[in-house]
Amino acid sequence: MMKLIPLYGPVKNRYAAYFLRKIIHATCPEQYFVRFMSQQVNPCANASYALTFDFDFEKDIEAFPYLLDMLKEKDIKAGFAVIGKFVEKYPDIHKRAVDEGHEIINHTYTHPDNPHWAPDRYFNKLSYAEQKSEIEKAHEVYQKILGIDCIGFRTPHYGNLHTESVYPILSELGYKYSSSTAACAYKGFGAPSEHSHGIIEIPTGCSLHFPLAIFDSWNMLRKNNPFLGDDKLFVEEFDATIEVVKEHNLFLTHYFDPYDIVVNNKLERVLDSINRHNIKTLLYRDLIF
């Protein structure tokens, strides 16, 4: 079967990706995951993992205090992609995140295509000037309220909403990285690599048995016909993936939705898995400086 696979590399065509995913996930996912990821240039000497969260909804903010409590208890730092409007509305919890050593990632000012702030706007349909304004206004909020200068960006909703116009904008604003693509569809084999305009792209990762899908709660648990559909299986898949990352000295990063990861003790079990495998954790900014 493996001889039929033309390339252990990124698959950008959505139709080709769909059929290849069906074949790989049903026949040889573990072998594909290891072969694909082993081609990366790991920016760290040893196995390493970067944990991030996206705060898109009010229910994510509700989960924020508990998330911070658990990260502090397990002694793990994380990256938080946050919306400027939420920082304005809930400054204290975001200040706490900064004070406890976590990284803030620019997730735009209103998160276009967001039911709270911009339900009828889509990031990829904005003009260059509007996209820049969304990123710049959020940056100014982080400066004013949190006292930080952001260096990284994440496009709202990834996928088709991510556009090449982001990179010159980020360069103009002095940013260093973006994390807005999927590892299975991007060069670098899951590791950071330079994209354009001097910006590093850090693609979010997959998992051992689903190497051609983003490993997050929506794909694995919440969409129609999810890959897993079960919280226990979700944690087991994470644990198996981390074990292989450790064994093969790989770099991997994921993002999770706070409101979902705190349900049924998934967060605690994910953090325990990281610590049990004694895998190095780091922030995206650690990869840049």
Side-chain angles (χ1 to χ4, degrees), residues 128-162:
Y128 186 93
E130 288 172 324
Q131 289 179 350
K132 183 178 179 182
S133 177
E134 278 283 343
I135 299 171
E136 197 165 28
K137 285 179 70 175
H139 185 87
E140 291 169 356
V141 168
Y142 308 143
Q143 281 183 321
K144 180 180 178 181
I145 295 178
L146 304 180
I148 62 169
D149 282 309
C150 235
I151 63 166
F153 171 76
R154 177 169 286 162
T155 301
H157 291 318
Y158 291 78
N160 294 329
L161 298 189
H162 181 60

PDB file of all heavy atoms in Angstrom, residues 128-162:
ATOM      1  N   TYR A 128      -6.967  44.334   1.948  1.00  0.00           N
ATOM      2  CA  TYR A 128      -5.661  44.352   2.601  1.00  0.00           C
ATOM      3  C   TYR A 128      -5.667  45.330   3.770  1.00  0.00           C
ATOM      4  O   TYR A 128      -5.196  45.008   4.873  1.00  0.00           O
ATOM      5  CB  TYR A 128      -4.591  44.735   1.586  1.00  0.00           C
ATOM      6  CG  TYR A 128      -3.165  44.666   2.092  1.00  0.00           C
ATOM      7  CD1 TYR A 128      -2.405  43.514   1.913  1.00  0.00           C
ATOM      8  CD2 TYR A 128      -2.576  45.755   2.736  1.00  0.00           C
ATOM      9  CE1 TYR A 128      -1.094  43.450   2.366  1.00  0.00           C
ATOM     10  CE2 TYR A 128      -1.277  45.702   3.190  1.00  0.00           C
ATOM     11  CZ  TYR A 128      -0.538  44.550   3.006  1.00  0.00           C
ATOM     12  OH  TYR A 128       0.757  44.488   3.465  1.00  0.00           O
ATOM     13  N   ALA A 129      -6.211  46.513   3.548  1.00  0.00           N
ATOM     14  CA  ALA A 129      -6.250  47.541   4.595  1.00  0.00           C
ATOM     15  C   ALA A 129      -7.097  47.089   5.776  1.00  0.00           C
ATOM     16  O   ALA A 129      -6.746  47.347   6.943  1.00  0.00           O
ATOM     17  CB  ALA A 129      -6.786  48.846   4.028  1.00  0.00           C
ATOM     18  N   GLU A 130      -8.194  46.399   5.505  1.00  0.00           N
ATOM     19  CA  GLU A 130      -9.068  45.925   6.591  1.00  0.00           C
ATOM     20  C   GLU A 130      -8.397  44.797   7.373  1.00  0.00           C
ATOM     21  O   GLU A 130      -8.499  44.744   8.613  1.00  0.00           O
ATOM     22  CB  GLU A 130     -10.397  45.438   6.008  1.00  0.00           C
ATOM     23  CG  GLU A 130     -11.293  46.563   5.500  1.00  0.00           C
ATOM     24  CD  GLU A 130     -12.506  46.046   4.756  1.00  0.00           C
ATOM     25  OE1 GLU A 130     -12.388  45.010   4.045  1.00  0.00           O
ATOM     26  OE2 GLU A 130     -13.582  46.661   4.881  1.00  0.00           O
ATOM     27  N   GLN A 131      -7.723  43.904   6.674  1.00  0.00           N
ATOM     28  CA  GLN A 131      -6.989  42.842   7.365  1.00  0.00           C
ATOM     29  C   GLN A 131      -5.902  43.442   8.266  1.00  0.00           C
ATOM     30  O   GLN A 131      -5.743  43.037   9.429  1.00  0.00           O
ATOM     31  CB  GLN A 131      -6.356  41.886   6.359  1.00  0.00           C
ATOM     32  CG  GLN A 131      -7.348  41.011   5.625  1.00  0.00           C
ATOM     33  CD  GLN A 131      -6.673  40.089   4.624  1.00  0.00           C
ATOM     34  OE1 GLN A 131      -5.481  40.220   4.331  1.00  0.00           O
ATOM     35  NE2 GLN A 131      -7.436  39.142   4.090  1.00  0.00           N
ATOM     36  N   LYS A 132      -5.182  44.401   7.718  1.00  0.00           N
ATOM     37  CA  LYS A 132      -4.131  45.049   8.510  1.00  0.00           C
ATOM     38  C   LYS A 132      -4.719  45.741   9.731  1.00  0.00           C
ATOM     39  O   LYS A 132      -4.154  45.676  10.834  1.00  0.00           O
ATOM     40  CB  LYS A 132      -3.363  46.050   7.643  1.00  0.00           C
ATOM     41  CG  LYS A 132      -2.204  46.706   8.379  1.00  0.00           C
ATOM     42  CD  LYS A 132      -1.426  47.659   7.475  1.00  0.00           C
ATOM     43  CE  LYS A 132      -0.293  48.328   8.240  1.00  0.00           C
ATOM     44  NZ  LYS A 132       0.458  49.292   7.392  1.00  0.00           N
ATOM     45  N   SER A 133      -5.855  46.403   9.555  1.00  0.00           N
ATOM     46  CA  SER A 133      -6.500  47.091  10.672  1.00  0.00           C
ATOM     47  C   SER A 133      -6.907  46.109  11.764  1.00  0.00           C
ATOM     48  O   SER A 133      -6.742  46.397  12.959  1.00  0.00           O
ATOM     49  CB  SER A 133      -7.725  47.859  10.174  1.00  0.00           C
ATOM     50  OG  SER A 133      -8.413  48.469  11.245  1.00  0.00           O
ATOM     51  N   GLU A 134      -7.440  44.952  11.377  1.00  0.00           N
ATOM     52  CA  GLU A 134      -7.842  43.934  12.354  1.00  0.00           C
ATOM     53  C   GLU A 134      -6.645  43.488  13.199  1.00  0.00           C
ATOM     54  O   GLU A 134      -6.756  43.317  14.418  1.00  0.00           O
ATOM     55  CB  GLU A 134      -8.452  42.725  11.640  1.00  0.00           C
ATOM     56  CG  GLU A 134      -9.908  42.880  11.263  1.00  0.00           C
ATOM     57  CD  GLU A 134     -10.828  42.692  12.459  1.00  0.00           C
ATOM     58  OE1 GLU A 134     -10.399  42.152  13.486  1.00  0.00           O
ATOM     59  OE2 GLU A 134     -12.005  43.099  12.364  1.00  0.00           O
ATOM     60  N   ILE A 135      -5.518  43.278  12.555  1.00  0.00           N
ATOM     61  CA  ILE A 135      -4.318  42.820  13.262  1.00  0.00           C
ATOM     62  C   ILE A 135      -3.716  43.958  14.088  1.00  0.00           C
ATOM     63  O   ILE A 135      -3.345  43.779  15.257  1.00  0.00           O
ATOM     64  CB  ILE A 135      -3.282  42.279  12.254  1.00  0.00           C
ATOM     65  CG1 ILE A 135      -3.864  41.082  11.496  1.00  0.00           C
ATOM     66  CG2 ILE A 135      -1.991  41.885  12.968  1.00  0.00           C
ATOM     67  CD1 ILE A 135      -3.011  40.606  10.325  1.00  0.00           C
ATOM     68  N   GLU A 136      -3.661  45.145  13.490  1.00  0.00           N
ATOM     69  CA  GLU A 136      -3.030  46.290  14.154  1.00  0.00           C
ATOM     70  C   GLU A 136      -3.833  46.753  15.363  1.00  0.00           C
ATOM     71  O   GLU A 136      -3.261  47.073  16.419  1.00  0.00           O
ATOM     72  CB  GLU A 136      -2.873  47.424  13.153  1.00  0.00           C
ATOM     73  CG  GLU A 136      -1.896  48.503  13.570  1.00  0.00           C
ATOM     74  CD  GLU A 136      -1.514  49.403  12.411  1.00  0.00           C
ATOM     75  OE1 GLU A 136      -2.330  49.561  11.472  1.00  0.00           O
ATOM     76  OE2 GLU A 136      -0.395  49.958  12.445  1.00  0.00           O
ATOM     77  N   LYS A 137      -5.149  46.791  15.249  1.00  0.00           N
ATOM     78  CA  LYS A 137      -5.982  47.225  16.382  1.00  0.00           C
ATOM     79  C   LYS A 137      -5.857  46.254  17.549  1.00  0.00           C
ATOM     80  O   LYS A 137      -5.809  46.672  18.716  1.00  0.00           O
ATOM     81  CB  LYS A 137      -7.441  47.348  15.953  1.00  0.00           C
ATOM     82  CG  LYS A 137      -7.737  48.583  15.104  1.00  0.00           C
ATOM     83  CD  LYS A 137      -9.188  48.648  14.688  1.00  0.00           C
ATOM     84  CE  LYS A 137     -10.109  48.946  15.859  1.00  0.00           C
ATOM     85  NZ  LYS A 137     -11.516  49.126  15.423  1.00  0.00           N
ATOM     86  N   ALA A 138      -5.805  44.956  17.248  1.00  0.00           N
ATOM     87  CA  ALA A 138      -5.606  43.981  18.324  1.00  0.00           C
ATOM     88  C   ALA A 138      -4.250  44.195  18.991  1.00  0.00           C
ATOM     89  O   ALA A 138      -4.134  44.163  20.224  1.00  0.00           O
ATOM     90  CB  ALA A 138      -5.709  42.565  17.766  1.00  0.00           C
ATOM     91  N   HIS A 139      -3.227  44.426  18.172  1.00  0.00           N
ATOM     92  CA  HIS A 139      -1.885  44.653  18.706  1.00  0.00           C
ATOM     93  C   HIS A 139      -1.872  45.846  19.662  1.00  0.00           C
ATOM     94  O   HIS A 139      -1.258  45.796  20.738  1.00  0.00           O
ATOM     95  CB  HIS A 139      -0.906  44.907  17.557  1.00  0.00           C
ATOM     96  CG  HIS A 139       0.521  45.028  17.986  1.00  0.00           C
ATOM     97  ND1 HIS A 139       1.356  43.938  18.129  1.00  0.00           N
ATOM     98  CD2 HIS A 139       1.258  46.114  18.345  1.00  0.00           C
ATOM     99  CE1 HIS A 139       2.538  44.346  18.547  1.00  0.00           C
ATOM    100  NE2 HIS A 139       2.517  45.664  18.675  1.00  0.00           N
ATOM    101  N   GLU A 140      -2.561  46.905  19.290  1.00  0.00           N
ATOM    102  CA  GLU A 140      -2.614  48.098  20.134  1.00  0.00           C
ATOM    103  C   GLU A 140      -3.334  47.823  21.450  1.00  0.00           C
ATOM    104  O   GLU A 140      -2.956  48.362  22.499  1.00  0.00           O
ATOM    105  CB  GLU A 140      -3.308  49.228  19.370  1.00  0.00           C
ATOM    106  CG  GLU A 140      -2.472  49.756  18.208  1.00  0.00           C
ATOM    107  CD  GLU A 140      -3.256  50.682  17.281  1.00  0.00           C
ATOM    108  OE1 GLU A 140      -4.487  50.845  17.515  1.00  0.00           O
ATOM    109  OE2 GLU A 140      -2.658  51.227  16.334  1.00  0.00           O
ATOM    110  N   VAL A 141      -4.359  46.979  21.403  1.00  0.00           N
ATOM    111  CA  VAL A 141      -5.068  46.594  22.625  1.00  0.00           C
ATOM    112  C   VAL A 141      -4.134  45.825  23.559  1.00  0.00           C
ATOM    113  O   VAL A 141      -4.097  46.072  24.774  1.00  0.00           O
ATOM    114  CB  VAL A 141      -6.314  45.747  22.291  1.00  0.00           C
ATOM    115  CG1 VAL A 141      -6.880  45.102  23.559  1.00  0.00           C
ATOM    116  CG2 VAL A 141      -7.379  46.610  21.627  1.00  0.00           C
ATOM    117  N   TYR A 142      -3.386  44.887  23.008  1.00  0.00           N
ATOM    118  CA  TYR A 142      -2.447  44.108  23.837  1.00  0.00           C
ATOM    119  C   TYR A 142      -1.399  45.029  24.474  1.00  0.00           C
ATOM    120  O   TYR A 142      -1.024  44.839  25.635  1.00  0.00           O
ATOM    121  CB  TYR A 142      -1.747  43.030  23.010  1.00  0.00           C
ATOM    122  CG  TYR A 142      -2.654  42.129  22.217  1.00  0.00           C
ATOM    123  CD1 TYR A 142      -2.288  41.689  20.951  1.00  0.00           C
ATOM    124  CD2 TYR A 142      -3.896  41.707  22.714  1.00  0.00           C
ATOM    125  CE1 TYR A 142      -3.111  40.861  20.205  1.00  0.00           C
ATOM    126  CE2 TYR A 142      -4.720  40.881  21.967  1.00  0.00           C
ATOM    127  CZ  TYR A 142      -4.328  40.469  20.715  1.00  0.00           C
ATOM    128  OH  TYR A 142      -5.144  39.647  19.972  1.00  0.00           O
ATOM    129  N   GLN A 143      -0.935  45.997  23.703  1.00  0.00           N
ATOM    130  CA  GLN A 143       0.039  46.947  24.237  1.00  0.00           C
ATOM    131  C   GLN A 143      -0.561  47.761  25.378  1.00  0.00           C
ATOM    132  O   GLN A 143       0.035  47.880  26.464  1.00  0.00           O
ATOM    133  CB  GLN A 143       0.518  47.897  23.140  1.00  0.00           C
ATOM    134  CG  GLN A 143       1.543  47.344  22.196  1.00  0.00           C
ATOM    135  CD  GLN A 143       1.994  48.392  21.189  1.00  0.00           C
ATOM    136  OE1 GLN A 143       1.190  49.188  20.686  1.00  0.00           O
ATOM    137  NE2 GLN A 143       3.278  48.401  20.864  1.00  0.00           N
ATOM    138  N   LYS A 144      -1.742  48.326  25.131  1.00  0.00           N
ATOM    139  CA  LYS A 144      -2.352  49.250  26.078  1.00  0.00           C
ATOM    140  C   LYS A 144      -2.810  48.551  27.355  1.00  0.00           C
ATOM    141  O   LYS A 144      -2.583  49.046  28.470  1.00  0.00           O
ATOM    142  CB  LYS A 144      -3.541  49.944  25.416  1.00  0.00           C
ATOM    143  CG  LYS A 144      -4.267  50.937  26.314  1.00  0.00           C
ATOM    144  CD  LYS A 144      -5.426  51.592  25.580  1.00  0.00           C
ATOM    145  CE  LYS A 144      -6.189  52.556  26.483  1.00  0.00           C
ATOM    146  NZ  LYS A 144      -7.343  53.184  25.774  1.00  0.00           N
ATOM    147  N   ILE A 145      -3.458  47.393  27.216  1.00  0.00           N
ATOM    148  CA  ILE A 145      -4.072  46.733  28.369  1.00  0.00           C
ATOM    149  C   ILE A 145      -3.133  45.722  29.030  1.00  0.00           C
ATOM    150  O   ILE A 145      -3.077  45.635  30.264  1.00  0.00           O
ATOM    151  CB  ILE A 145      -5.388  46.050  27.954  1.00  0.00           C
ATOM    152  CG1 ILE A 145      -6.405  47.112  27.507  1.00  0.00           C
ATOM    153  CG2 ILE A 145      -5.960  45.208  29.100  1.00  0.00           C
ATOM    154  CD1 ILE A 145      -7.725  46.547  27.024  1.00  0.00           C
ATOM    155  N   LEU A 146      -2.379  44.982  28.221  1.00  0.00           N
ATOM    156  CA  LEU A 146      -1.545  43.910  28.765  1.00  0.00           C
ATOM    157  C   LEU A 146      -0.076  44.300  28.877  1.00  0.00           C
ATOM    158  O   LEU A 146       0.699  43.591  29.516  1.00  0.00           O
ATOM    159  CB  LEU A 146      -1.676  42.650  27.899  1.00  0.00           C
ATOM    160  CG  LEU A 146      -3.102  42.122  27.697  1.00  0.00           C
ATOM    161  CD1 LEU A 146      -3.085  40.877  26.821  1.00  0.00           C
ATOM    162  CD2 LEU A 146      -3.772  41.831  29.040  1.00  0.00           C
ATOM    163  N   GLY A 147       0.292  45.407  28.234  1.00  0.00           N
ATOM    164  CA  GLY A 147       1.674  45.876  28.320  1.00  0.00           C
ATOM    165  C   GLY A 147       2.655  45.001  27.575  1.00  0.00           C
ATOM    166  O   GLY A 147       3.817  44.891  27.984  1.00  0.00           O
ATOM    167  N   ILE A 148       2.211  44.371  26.481  1.00  0.00           N
ATOM    168  CA  ILE A 148       3.093  43.480  25.734  1.00  0.00           C
ATOM    169  C   ILE A 148       3.104  43.862  24.256  1.00  0.00           C
ATOM    170  O   ILE A 148       2.178  44.487  23.744  1.00  0.00           O
ATOM    171  CB  ILE A 148       2.659  42.009  25.860  1.00  0.00           C
ATOM    172  CG1 ILE A 148       1.259  41.810  25.269  1.00  0.00           C
ATOM    173  CG2 ILE A 148       2.728  41.548  27.302  1.00  0.00           C
ATOM    174  CD1 ILE A 148       0.873  40.355  25.106  1.00  0.00           C
ATOM    175  N   ASP A 149       4.166  43.466  23.580  1.00  0.00           N
ATOM    176  CA  ASP A 149       4.248  43.580  22.128  1.00  0.00           C
ATOM    177  C   ASP A 149       4.169  42.173  21.550  1.00  0.00           C
ATOM    178  O   ASP A 149       5.094  41.370  21.691  1.00  0.00           O
ATOM    179  CB  ASP A 149       5.568  44.241  21.700  1.00  0.00           C
ATOM    180  CG  ASP A 149       5.535  45.742  21.894  1.00  0.00           C
ATOM    181  OD1 ASP A 149       4.570  46.372  21.428  1.00  0.00           O
ATOM    182  OD2 ASP A 149       6.471  46.282  22.524  1.00  0.00           O
ATOM    183  N   CYS A 150       3.067  41.888  20.905  1.00  0.00           N
ATOM    184  CA  CYS A 150       2.856  40.578  20.295  1.00  0.00           C
ATOM    185  C   CYS A 150       3.818  40.389  19.126  1.00  0.00           C
ATOM    186  O   CYS A 150       4.116  41.333  18.402  1.00  0.00           O
ATOM    187  CB  CYS A 150       1.422  40.493  19.781  1.00  0.00           C
ATOM    188  SG  CYS A 150       0.522  39.096  20.414  1.00  0.00           S
ATOM    189  N   ILE A 151       4.267  39.144  18.906  1.00  0.00           N
ATOM    190  CA  ILE A 151       5.129  38.865  17.753  1.00  0.00           C
ATOM    191  C   ILE A 151       4.539  37.778  16.861  1.00  0.00           C
ATOM    192  O   ILE A 151       5.125  37.438  15.826  1.00  0.00           O
ATOM    193  CB  ILE A 151       6.553  38.461  18.177  1.00  0.00           C
ATOM    194  CG1 ILE A 151       6.536  37.159  18.980  1.00  0.00           C
ATOM    195  CG2 ILE A 151       7.225  39.583  18.959  1.00  0.00           C
ATOM    196  CD1 ILE A 151       7.908  36.533  19.135  1.00  0.00           C
ATOM    197  N   GLY A 152       3.389  37.200  17.258  1.00  0.00           N
ATOM    198  CA  GLY A 152       2.814  36.103  16.497  1.00  0.00           C
ATOM    199  C   GLY A 152       1.339  36.289  16.217  1.00  0.00           C
ATOM    200  O   GLY A 152       0.629  36.977  16.957  1.00  0.00           O
ATOM    201  N   PHE A 153       0.875  35.649  15.164  1.00  0.00           N
ATOM    202  CA  PHE A 153      -0.494  35.826  14.682  1.00  0.00           C
ATOM    203  C   PHE A 153      -1.111  34.479  14.319  1.00  0.00           C
ATOM    204  O   PHE A 153      -0.411  33.570  13.868  1.00  0.00           O
ATOM    205  CB  PHE A 153      -0.484  36.734  13.450  1.00  0.00           C
ATOM    206  CG  PHE A 153      -1.806  36.819  12.729  1.00  0.00           C
ATOM    207  CD1 PHE A 153      -2.847  37.573  13.243  1.00  0.00           C
ATOM    208  CD2 PHE A 153      -2.004  36.133  11.534  1.00  0.00           C
ATOM    209  CE1 PHE A 153      -4.068  37.657  12.579  1.00  0.00           C
ATOM    210  CE2 PHE A 153      -3.213  36.219  10.859  1.00  0.00           C
ATOM    211  CZ  PHE A 153      -4.247  36.977  11.382  1.00  0.00           C
ATOM    212  N   ARG A 154      -2.418  34.377  14.502  1.00  0.00           N
ATOM    213  CA  ARG A 154      -3.173  33.211  14.033  1.00  0.00           C
ATOM    214  C   ARG A 154      -4.435  33.696  13.333  1.00  0.00           C
ATOM    215  O   ARG A 154      -5.248  34.424  13.918  1.00  0.00           O
ATOM    216  CB  ARG A 154      -3.515  32.266  15.184  1.00  0.00           C
ATOM    217  CG  ARG A 154      -4.361  31.065  14.757  1.00  0.00           C
ATOM    218  CD  ARG A 154      -4.435  30.020  15.873  1.00  0.00           C
ATOM    219  NE  ARG A 154      -3.165  29.310  15.988  1.00  0.00           N
ATOM    220  CZ  ARG A 154      -2.806  28.606  17.063  1.00  0.00           C
ATOM    221  NH1 ARG A 154      -3.600  28.548  18.121  1.00  0.00           N
ATOM    222  NH2 ARG A 154      -1.656  27.960  17.078  1.00  0.00           N
ATOM    223  N   THR A 155      -4.620  33.288  12.077  1.00  0.00           N
ATOM    224  CA  THR A 155      -5.800  33.669  11.302  1.00  0.00           C
ATOM    225  C   THR A 155      -7.057  33.040  11.903  1.00  0.00           C
ATOM    226  O   THR A 155      -7.042  31.855  12.241  1.00  0.00           O
ATOM    227  CB  THR A 155      -5.662  33.196   9.840  1.00  0.00           C
ATOM    228  OG1 THR A 155      -4.495  33.786   9.267  1.00  0.00           O
ATOM    229  CG2 THR A 155      -6.879  33.588   9.029  1.00  0.00           C
ATOM    230  N   PRO A 156      -8.127  33.801  12.038  1.00  0.00           N
ATOM    231  CA  PRO A 156      -9.385  33.216  12.517  1.00  0.00           C
ATOM    232  C   PRO A 156      -9.854  32.066  11.625  1.00  0.00           C
ATOM    233  O   PRO A 156      -9.947  32.218  10.405  1.00  0.00           O
ATOM    234  CB  PRO A 156     -10.367  34.395  12.435  1.00  0.00           C
ATOM    235  CG  PRO A 156      -9.518  35.612  12.523  1.00  0.00           C
ATOM    236  CD  PRO A 156      -8.240  35.255  11.820  1.00  0.00           C
ATOM    237  N   HIS A 157     -10.073  30.931  12.227  1.00  0.00           N
ATOM    238  CA  HIS A 157     -10.633  29.750  11.553  1.00  0.00           C
ATOM    239  C   HIS A 157      -9.706  29.052  10.562  1.00  0.00           C
ATOM    240  O   HIS A 157     -10.142  28.108   9.900  1.00  0.00           O
ATOM    241  CB  HIS A 157     -11.949  30.094  10.853  1.00  0.00           C
ATOM    242  CG  HIS A 157     -13.071  30.404  11.792  1.00  0.00           C
ATOM    243  ND1 HIS A 157     -13.312  29.696  12.937  1.00  0.00           N
ATOM    244  CD2 HIS A 157     -14.014  31.377  11.752  1.00  0.00           C
ATOM    245  CE1 HIS A 157     -14.362  30.206  13.565  1.00  0.00           C
ATOM    246  NE2 HIS A 157     -14.792  31.234  12.867  1.00  0.00           N
ATOM    247  N   TYR A 158      -8.459  29.492  10.438  1.00  0.00           N
ATOM    248  CA  TYR A 158      -7.533  28.781   9.545  1.00  0.00           C
ATOM    249  C   TYR A 158      -8.112  28.614   8.130  1.00  0.00           C
ATOM    250  O   TYR A 158      -8.857  29.446   7.634  1.00  0.00           O
ATOM    251  CB  TYR A 158      -7.244  27.374  10.086  1.00  0.00           C
ATOM    252  CG  TYR A 158      -6.442  27.290  11.329  1.00  0.00           C
ATOM    253  CD1 TYR A 158      -7.007  27.545  12.568  1.00  0.00           C
ATOM    254  CD2 TYR A 158      -5.112  26.922  11.285  1.00  0.00           C
ATOM    255  CE1 TYR A 158      -6.278  27.429  13.721  1.00  0.00           C
ATOM    256  CE2 TYR A 158      -4.370  26.784  12.437  1.00  0.00           C
ATOM    257  CZ  TYR A 158      -4.958  27.045  13.660  1.00  0.00           C
ATOM    258  OH  TYR A 158      -4.233  26.924  14.801  1.00  0.00           O
ATOM    259  N   GLY A 159      -7.747  27.455   7.531  1.00  0.00           N
ATOM    260  CA  GLY A 159      -8.341  26.990   6.287  1.00  0.00           C
ATOM    261  C   GLY A 159      -8.429  28.037   5.206  1.00  0.00           C
ATOM    262  O   GLY A 159      -7.480  28.778   4.922  1.00  0.00           O
ATOM    263  N   ASN A 160      -9.600  28.102   4.577  1.00  0.00           N
ATOM    264  CA  ASN A 160      -9.798  29.014   3.458  1.00  0.00           C
ATOM    265  C   ASN A 160      -9.826  30.478   3.887  1.00  0.00           C
ATOM    266  O   ASN A 160      -9.785  31.374   3.040  1.00  0.00           O
ATOM    267  CB  ASN A 160     -11.097  28.669   2.723  1.00  0.00           C
ATOM    268  CG  ASN A 160     -11.025  27.322   2.043  1.00  0.00           C
ATOM    269  OD1 ASN A 160      -9.956  26.896   1.616  1.00  0.00           O
ATOM    270  ND2 ASN A 160     -12.149  26.636   1.946  1.00  0.00           N
ATOM    271  N   LEU A 161      -9.922  30.737   5.191  1.00  0.00           N
ATOM    272  CA  LEU A 161      -9.921  32.121   5.656  1.00  0.00           C
ATOM    273  C   LEU A 161      -8.502  32.685   5.811  1.00  0.00           C
ATOM    274  O   LEU A 161      -8.317  33.874   6.021  1.00  0.00           O
ATOM    275  CB  LEU A 161     -10.673  32.244   6.981  1.00  0.00           C
ATOM    276  CG  LEU A 161     -12.156  31.876   6.951  1.00  0.00           C
ATOM    277  CD1 LEU A 161     -12.832  32.249   8.257  1.00  0.00           C
ATOM    278  CD2 LEU A 161     -12.866  32.561   5.788  1.00  0.00           C
ATOM    279  N   HIS A 162      -7.516  31.799   5.719  1.00  0.00           N
ATOM    280  CA  HIS A 162      -6.124  32.251   5.777  1.00  0.00           C
ATOM    281  C   HIS A 162      -5.673  32.660   4.381  1.00  0.00           C
ATOM    282  O   HIS A 162      -5.938  31.959   3.402  1.00  0.00           O
ATOM    283  CB  HIS A 162      -5.231  31.135   6.307  1.00  0.00           C
ATOM    284  CG  HIS A 162      -3.798  31.513   6.423  1.00  0.00           C
ATOM    285  ND1 HIS A 162      -3.365  32.547   7.215  1.00  0.00           N
ATOM    286  CD2 HIS A 162      -2.690  31.011   5.815  1.00  0.00           C
ATOM    287  CE1 HIS A 162      -2.058  32.659   7.121  1.00  0.00           C
ATOM    288  NE2 HIS A 162      -1.622  31.748   6.264  1.00  0.00           N
TER     289      HIS A 162
END
